[in-house]
Amino acid sequence: MTQYKNKLSSNDEIKSQFPIFDKNEIVYLDSAASSQKPFSVIESINEVYANNYANIHRGVYKLSQTATDMHENAREIVKKFINASSVKEIIFVRGATEAINLVASSVAEMNVSPGDEIILSRLEHHSNIVPWQIMAKKNKAVIKVAEADENGDVSFESIFKNVTSKTKIISITHISNAIGSILPVKDICKEAKSRGILTLIDGCQAAPLLEVDVQDIDCDFYVFSGHKTYGPTGIGVLYGRENILAEAPPYQGGGDMIDKVTFEETTYAGLPSKFEAGTPNIVGAIGLGSALKWMQDIGINNIYEHSKKVINEGINILEDIDGLTIIGKPKHRGGVISFTYKDIHSHDLGTLLNSYNIAVRTGHHCAQPTMQRYNVSSTVRASVGYYNNKEDFEALAEGILKVSKVFENV
Ligand SMILES: Cc1ncc(COP(=O)(O)O)c(C=O)c1O
């Protein structure tokens, strides 16, 4: 295993910010599932629990006010990170999955009547399929799918080919978690807006990688998860246009989201509280704020340029391996490469790679319709974060060749 340790040296400066790499000799190529956490994020979480922790919003004492300020400061950081126009548009949720469920069951349910249509793309994560199916079933709405082409691209035309006068919502991913395609979300949102169609962008794979400007994209909703943006688990963001969220019914009822409660009637708090019932993930939000600040300090463009370079190097390295097939060759790619190798099952390949300390994800990546489109039941997925480098892909290639030898000897 020491051979990999030596290979990490060129990237030591960046890796040294991530304590996990001190404790584990690992080639970590699974950031699309969850990214590792820099010291600053871990420290900020420890700091709140050790020095500043109390429940927020309702406390009159100093500690509660400090924790409230830290929590609300995190909301301000998120607002700036995605260039929302107001903190009222930033709802803290458990993650992208909860954000999409919230929109599907609150905003959308209100806007969708029997026979209305919702457009998704072929490349969606199950989290951007199933909530819409549940809602469509209740509201007797119809789900339509914009196809991806053989390269893995979902074009503007593919989306709008499906649009009719009944289309109410287009909900699509910014970057496919399964094969890495970047979708032309800005063009799609602009056209949708001109036709009065609501748009939701699943930014799970984009927020850790690209400069996201929700006003420039002009979407109605944008969602992402903290744990993929170098932050903690259990926290995520729903951005929603203020006028739409203000009209929408609450998603869950409970403390914090009310104005006045009697047994006869309840009136609701304003935004964003109306959508944040119960004690929130206080420390998670603060940790997310630190993560986004860490990204901003590095420079989102630097993160993107670095990841793009590493991904391109990774593609060159993997393409040279006989019997390896990269699934999808999209025009623009995020931090993900999916592939199959000979007829070795992805789980066998991933398990053997693990024995060489290489962490990749295997399976359908919660995107079974994507797998169906490309006639595979599963793939191996290598995905990058800011801490990865070319050497990680060289180690992966070396690992794959070792696996091949294991199979030759069977
Ligand atoms: C594109 C995409 N959407 C949605 C999700 C769901 O995110 P979470 O499980 O954090 O809610 C993921 C997670 O892998 C994802 O990659």
Side-chain angles (χ1 to χ4, degrees), residues 16-202:
S16 68
Q17 294 187 43
F18 292 80
I20 197 105
F21 296 120
D22 268 355
K23 308 272 169 2
N24 299 278
E25 283 172 23
I26 189 172
V27 173
Y28 187 74
L29 287 165
D30 197 21
S31 295
S34 207
S35 56
Q36 297 298 342
K37 320 303 170 199
F39 264 120
S40 59
V41 170
I42 298 166
E43 270 165 12
S44 79
I45 292 168
N46 282 342
E47 229 278 304
V48 196
Y49 277 128
N51 300 321
N52 296 308
Y53 182 77
N55 207 335
I56 59 169
H57 290 155
R58 292 172 296 277
V60 291
Y61 52 92
K62 187 159 176 292
L63 205 52
S64 171
Q65 284 166 6
T66 306
T68 303
D69 289 347
M70 292 174 84
H71 184 263
E72 293 312 309
N73 182 47
R75 202 188 301 275
E76 186 68 42
I77 294 171
V78 174
K79 177 202 141 202
K80 290 206 178 103
F81 187 80
I82 57 171
N83 194 31
S85 21
S86 159
V87 284
K88 292 181 183 169
E89 300 183 317
I90 307 299
I91 313 293
F92 283 128
V93 286
R94 273 196 299 130
T97 302
E98 185 174 47
I100 299 169
N101 275 282
L102 190 162
V103 176
S105 74
S106 164
V107 184
E109 228 172 271
M110 187 180 72
N111 284 289
V112 173
S113 311
D116 282 348
E117 295 164 356
I118 298 146
I119 298 178
L120 311 175
S121 91
R122 164 64 72 170
L123 302 183
E124 300 312 316
H125 187 282
H126 298 161
S127 291
N128 196 26
I129 299 175
V130 186
W132 299 110
Q133 286 174 330
I134 294 171
M135 188 276 277
K137 202 164 183 185
K138 273 201 228 154
N139 286 27
K140 300 192 170 47
V142 178
I143 293 195
K144 291 171 97 177
V145 179
E147 264 310 335
D149 65 20
E150 61 285 0
N151 293 324
D153 282 310
V154 176
S155 65
F156 177 93
E157 291 72 29
S158 167
I159 298 278
F160 285 94
K161 204 160 73 181
N162 286 284
V163 168
T164 70
S165 58
K166 288 179 181 297
T167 307
K168 285 284 154 57
I169 296 163
I170 297 173
S171 186
I172 50 170
T173 194
H174 197 161
I175 301 182
S176 154
N177 69 303
I179 59 170
S181 331
I182 302 183
L183 273 64
V185 293
K186 190 173 160 182
D187 292 347
I188 293 167
C189 290
K190 188 165 169 247
E191 180 65 20
K193 194 177 178 194
S194 76
R195 299 189 193 201
I197 301 166
L198 291 175
T199 47
L200 182 148
I201 305 300
D202 175 355

Side-chain angles (χ1 to χ4, degrees), residues 26 138 155 195 257 276 303 359 362 373:
I26 189 172
K138 273 201 228 154
S155 65
R195 299 189 193 201
M257 51 73 75
E276 293 181 352
I303 295 177
T362 62
R373 168 67 180 85

